[in-house]
């Protein structure tokens, strides 16, 4: 399982922000403070240059003014007062552009949230990444132990934790070293534990399991199977491969022996193990399944892990019937041209 990783980055400011970034920062600060004034740091280099230019321009202003007055007088005779109108138009352009930008910002702010706007309530999922890990409530174990026949003498209930959110939706399995060396020593009082352990049980929400509070999770199943005595079936290579499918798989697609085991189960979560690997935890040839009321089963395993499971079966020398038929059809197709040449 690839959970990624964290890293620390140091950012260093090497030069001042440009004018556009400073103006945008000031507008955002005003909006966050309710429209109050914000003193933004604007570089003064540009202003100094303009002032210097204005001073140099003033020296030759007298001669330029005389030329401008003569040209303006000539234009007044022909076109009236084009200079004043052009200046007014130039002054109106930035105002119109600002109005358009403000209207676009308002439309963006008033955009509806959710898929259907105001008729859909935007529900945010609770972020549990900052919640501490706490031991599971002892009251959750009796129905789980009864449903899956867990051996209480060996099953380590003290190594299962939940998020301190009030609702134990997921039970996480933590190894002894993490529990004893970190959690029990109060590491969560000094740092925030983002992720730890493996998902072992998940709150069951399917209507077919009114009697079942939690279902098995594939992520940490290798630590639960050795303690299970109920709702566990052993399958041969063909039946095990037949379980690794997306969607519903009917009972009649399996062997008669495996069908009998499925019919004896009540609707709910169960485990399928590969024959000969029932106690080989390292290989993890286990599948988390769900028995439905319509004589079908579902494989509650991610697509990536399904492909990994099939590759492990190929490494053991197993070839599915579909792959075998494809190989035979390819060989027969390759032999036909040779027969025609001889004839």
């Amino acid at each position: 399982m690839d959970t990624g990783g964290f890293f620390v980055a140091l950012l260093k400011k090497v030069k001042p922000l440009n004018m556009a970034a400073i103006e945008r920062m000031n507008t955002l600060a005003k909006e966050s403070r309710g429209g109050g004034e914000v003193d933004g740091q604007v570089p003064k280099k540009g202003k100094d240059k303009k002032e210097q230019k204005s001073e140099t321009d003033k020296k030759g202003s007298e001669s330029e003014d005389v030329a401008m007055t003569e040209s303006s007088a000539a234009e007044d005779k022909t076109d009236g007062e084009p200079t004043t109108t052009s200046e007014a138009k130039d002054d109106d352009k930035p105002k119109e552009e600002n109005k358009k930008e403000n209207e676009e910002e308002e439309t963006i702010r008033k955009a509806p949230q959710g898929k259907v706007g105001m008729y859909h309530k935007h529900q945010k999922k609770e972020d549990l990444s900052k919640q501490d890990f706490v031991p599971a409530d002892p009251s959750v174990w009796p129905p789980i132990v009864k449903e899956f026949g867990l051996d209480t003498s060996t099953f380590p209930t003290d190594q299962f934790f939940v998020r301190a959110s009030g609702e134990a939706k997921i039970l996480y399995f933590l190894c002894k070293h993490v529990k004893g060396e970190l959690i029990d020593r109060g590491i969560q009082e000094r740092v925030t534990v983002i992720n730890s352990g493996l998902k072992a049980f998940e709150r069951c929400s399917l209507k077919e399991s009114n009697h079942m509070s939690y279902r098995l999770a594939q992520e940490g199943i290798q630590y639960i199977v050795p303690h299970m005595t109920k709702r566990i079936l052993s399958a041969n290579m063909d039946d095990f491969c037949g379980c690794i499918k997306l969607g519903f798989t009917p009972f009649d697609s399996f062997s008669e022996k495996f069908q009998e085991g499925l019919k004896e189960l009540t609707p709910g979560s169960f485990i399928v193990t590969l024959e000969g690997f029932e106690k080989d935890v390292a290989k993890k040839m286990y599948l988390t399944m769900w028995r439905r009321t319509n004589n079908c089963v579902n494989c509650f395993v991610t697509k990536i892990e399904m492909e990994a499971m099939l590759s492990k079966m190929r490494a053991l020398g197993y070839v599915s019937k579909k792959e075998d038929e494809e190989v035979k059809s390819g060989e027969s197709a390759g032999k036909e041209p040779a027969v025609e040449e001889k004839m």
Side-chain angles (χ1 to χ4, degrees):
M1 178 181 178
D2 185 7
T3 57
F6 295 92
F7 63 92
V8 178
L10 177 63
L11 303 178
K12 183 179 180 181
K13 184 179 178 182
V14 296
K15 62 180 180 179
L17 298 174
N18 55 17
M19 291 295 296
I22 293 173
E23 291 176 358
R24 181 60 178 168
M25 179 181 66
N26 292 337
T27 55
L28 292 174
K30 287 181 181 179
E31 293 176 0
S32 63
R33 297 179 185 179
E37 294 183 356
V38 180
D39 295 332
Q41 296 180 357
V42 181
K44 298 181 179 180
K45 294 182 180 179
K47 291 184 178 179
D48 294 338
K49 291 181 180 178
K50 291 181 180 178
E51 291 175 359
Q52 291 176 0
K53 290 181 179 179
S54 62
E55 290 177 358
T56 55
D57 294 335
K58 286 180 181 178
K59 294 179 180 179
S61 60
E62 295 178 357
S63 61
E64 290 177 359
D65 291 338
V66 173
M68 290 296 293
T69 52
E70 292 176 355
S71 62
S72 61
E75 290 177 356
D76 291 337
K77 293 178 181 179
T78 56
D79 299 332
E81 294 182 355
T83 56
T84 56
T85 55
S86 62
E87 289 176 358
K89 290 180 180 179
D90 293 336
D91 293 336
D92 293 335
K93 286 181 180 179
K95 292 181 181 179
E96 293 176 358
E97 292 177 358
N98 292 331
K99 287 181 180 180
K100 290 180 180 180
E101 290 178 358
N102 293 330
E103 290 176 358
E104 290 177 358
E105 289 180 359
E106 289 178 0
T107 54
I108 293 172
R109 291 174 189 171
K110 294 179 181 180
Q113 295 180 351
K115 295 182 179 179
V116 291
M118 61 183 296
Y119 299 102
H120 177 75
K121 293 183 179 180
H122 185 66
Q123 297 179 354
K124 294 183 178 179
K125 292 184 179 180
E126 186 179 359
D127 185 12
L128 301 178
S129 61
K130 296 182 180 180
Q131 297 288 340
D132 291 340
F133 284 91
V134 296
D137 189 356
S139 62
V140 305
W141 291 116
I144 296 176
V145 171
K146 182 180 179 181
E147 183 69 22
F148 301 104
L150 300 176
D151 188 358
T152 55
S153 61
T154 60
F155 188 68
T157 55
D158 60 333
Q159 292 180 230
F160 289 85
F161 288 76
V162 297
R163 292 284 191 178
S165 61
E167 297 182 1
K169 294 182 179 180
I170 299 175
L171 302 180
Y172 297 91
F173 176 80
L174 274 65
C175 65
K176 292 181 180 180
H177 296 289
V178 174
K179 176 184 178 297
E181 300 296 331
L182 297 177
I183 303 298
D184 293 346
R185 293 191 178 187
I187 189 66
Q188 297 182 111
E189 297 177 0
R190 300 188 293 273
V191 298
T192 301
V193 180
I194 302 299
N195 192 11
S196 183
L198 299 173
K199 292 181 181 180
F201 296 94
E202 295 187 23
R203 179 75 64 83
C204 187
S205 59
L206 295 176
K207 296 180 180 180
E208 297 177 339
S209 60
N210 295 327
H211 64 287
M212 187 177 294
S213 56
Y214 287 87
R215 66 174 181 84
L216 298 165
Q218 179 70 19
E219 189 173 328
I221 194 61
Q222 66 270 30
Y223 298 104
I224 302 174
V225 169
H227 308 281
M228 289 179 60
T229 58
K230 295 180 181 178
R231 304 193 69 82
I232 183 168
L233 298 177
S234 181
N236 56 27
M237 285 285 191
D238 292 332
D239 291 334
F240 193 85
C241 182
C243 293
I244 307 175
K245 292 181 180 179
L246 297 173
F248 299 153
T249 305
F251 287 1
D252 55 9
S253 60
F254 301 106
S255 63
E256 294 181 359
K257 181 180 178 181
F258 193 73
Q259 289 185 42
E260 292 176 0
L262 292 174
K263 292 177 181 178
E264 293 177 358
L265 294 174
T266 57
S269 182
F270 70 99
I271 297 297
V272 175
T273 63
L274 183 62
E275 289 182 354
F277 296 88
E278 291 86 354
K279 297 182 180 180
D280 194 347
V281 179
K283 294 291 192 300
K284 194 185 177 180
M285 302 301 289
Y286 310 131
L287 296 175
T288 303
M289 305 291 294
W290 184 270
R291 203 271 197 197
R292 294 191 171 273
T293 56
N294 57 352
N295 292 335
C296 291
V297 295
N298 275 103
C299 185
F300 281 10
V301 180
T302 61
K303 188 175 181 180
I304 295 175
E305 194 164 355
M306 285 183 180
E307 295 175 354
M309 199 74 69
L310 292 173
S311 65
K312 287 192 288 185
M313 295 180 69
R314 295 189 194 99
L316 296 174
Y318 174 75
V319 179
S320 63
K321 294 180 179 179
K322 183 177 180 181
E323 292 178 351
D324 192 13
E325 291 176 357
E326 291 178 355
V327 171
K328 290 181 179 179
S329 61
E331 291 177 354
S332 61
K335 289 179 181 180
E336 286 178 359
V339 174
E340 291 178 358
E341 288 176 359
K342 290 180 180 180
M343 294 175 65

